[in-house]
Amino acid sequence: MALSMRLNQSTRAASRPCHAYRAGPLLSRVVCKAGSGQTKLQSVLASIDQLNSQDPRTVQVDGKPMPYELAYSRWLTEWAQKLTADGNPPASDEIVIVARGQHVQRWTSPRSSYPEGKAGYLKWREDLKHFHAKVVLGIMKEAGYSPESMAKVESIILKKNIKEAENQIIEDALCLVFLERQLTEMRLKEPADLLVDILRKTWTRKMSEKGRAAALALPLCPEDAALVGKALGA
């Protein structure tokens, strides 16, 4: 399959060790505090960062521990900005805010607080979407955003009209963070057949052509690349 051949060529050219997380431009910045002299966007991002910096879970980034949701929200923001760098769609405030707040304070509602099974999982996911939207909209309102901007952000977080351009940017960004940052950990915990099925569905059902092109350029470690290649039919 041509796509999987391109992926294998990309990973051979620039692979990375599994779990070697490096800080991008956004991750290299310290968490700023909301205050005077900031734009509305800066104020919202700072407020979300302050909430996510309280996550007791950590991930190693450049060899140093960072609150997990703080790191995740910035990984997602970086991908959203990369995917809108061509101006189609433009990198609007709403896209950046959704990326930063997509999982805000997620650790406060663990999966274990809901019943096991598919129904419990779906209820957990649905409740989380509404919780994240409520937190982000409250921050936006305090910063002075219009009802129209807030409605757009709410629609994207709640995954309404998923195939619209701005919604698709976030969906692609979520998939790319999964491939780049989360696949290794899942590979070490879950059966290979399950992951191959997840990867195949992620590629065919969730990602756009732009997202797939970005995925093909990821410097995955050899083990992750082999798993993705299998999912794509290599």
Side-chain angles (χ1 to χ4, degrees):
M1 186 174 180
L3 288 176
S4 54
M5 288 177 62
R6 288 172 57 196
L7 177 64
N8 291 339
Q9 292 168 355
S10 171
T11 54
R12 281 199 299 269
S15 63
R16 63 166 173 81
C18 295
H19 282 308
Y21 294 155
R22 294 183 178 180
L26 286 169
L27 282 173
S28 299
R29 302 175 188 172
V30 298
V31 181
C32 57
K33 295 182 179 181
S36 60
Q38 294 181 315
T39 66
K40 288 190 296 185
L41 178 60
Q42 288 171 334
S43 176
V44 168
L45 298 185
S47 294
I48 294 172
D49 281 353
Q50 286 177 350
L51 292 176
N52 281 334
S53 67
Q54 298 168 18
D55 190 352
R57 305 166 303 164
T58 60
V59 61
Q60 293 290 318
V61 179
D62 284 345
K64 298 179 181 179
M66 175 177 283
Y68 182 81
E69 289 301 347
L70 180 63
Y72 183 91
S73 68
R74 293 183 174 201
W75 292 333
L76 198 60
T77 303
E78 287 178 353
W79 271 117
Q81 291 177 325
K82 288 177 183 177
L83 292 168
T84 54
D86 62 358
N88 183 28
S92 65
D93 281 16
E94 290 83 5
I95 287 179
V96 177
I97 289 170
V98 169
R100 199 61 143 248
Q102 183 77 14
H103 288 176
V104 61
Q105 293 186 304
R106 174 160 286 203
W107 73 93
T108 64
S109 181
R111 172 67 182 91
S112 59
S113 62
Y114 283 73
E116 295 183 5
K118 185 176 181 180
Y121 173 77
L122 293 176
K123 181 67 165 59
W124 173 64
R125 290 292 301 269
E126 189 65 21
D127 287 352
L128 276 174
K129 287 189 293 185
H130 287 274
F131 169 69
H132 298 321
K134 181 179 179 180
V135 173
V136 172
L137 294 181
I139 293 172
M140 290 181 71
K141 183 176 181 180
E142 186 174 346
Y145 274 94
S146 69
E148 292 77 16
S149 288
M150 292 168 61
K152 181 183 292 187
V153 165
E154 182 179 36
S155 176
I156 300 174
I157 292 178
L158 296 182
K159 296 184 181 293
K160 298 178 180 178
N161 306 314
I162 192 65
K163 292 303 179 182
E164 289 186 359
E166 291 186 329
N167 299 54
Q168 186 60 54
I169 287 295
I170 297 299
E171 194 67 22
D172 282 336
L174 287 163
C175 294
L176 287 161
V177 171
F178 165 67
L179 290 170
E180 185 178 37
R181 307 286 187 175
Q182 299 173 314
L183 178 56
T184 297
E185 184 175 358
M186 285 193 68
R187 177 173 53 78
L188 297 174
K189 295 179 179 180
E190 303 292 344
D193 289 348
L194 174 62
L195 282 178
V196 166
D197 185 58
I198 291 172
L199 288 165
R200 186 177 294 121
K201 290 176 179 177
T202 296
W203 191 269
T204 59
R205 299 181 184 181
K206 294 185 177 183
M207 301 185 77
S208 69
E209 288 302 318
K210 180 186 285 189
R212 292 171 187 165
L216 291 173
L218 289 175
L220 301 177
C221 69
E223 296 88 346
D224 289 352
L227 196 63
V228 174
K230 185 177 181 180
L232 299 184

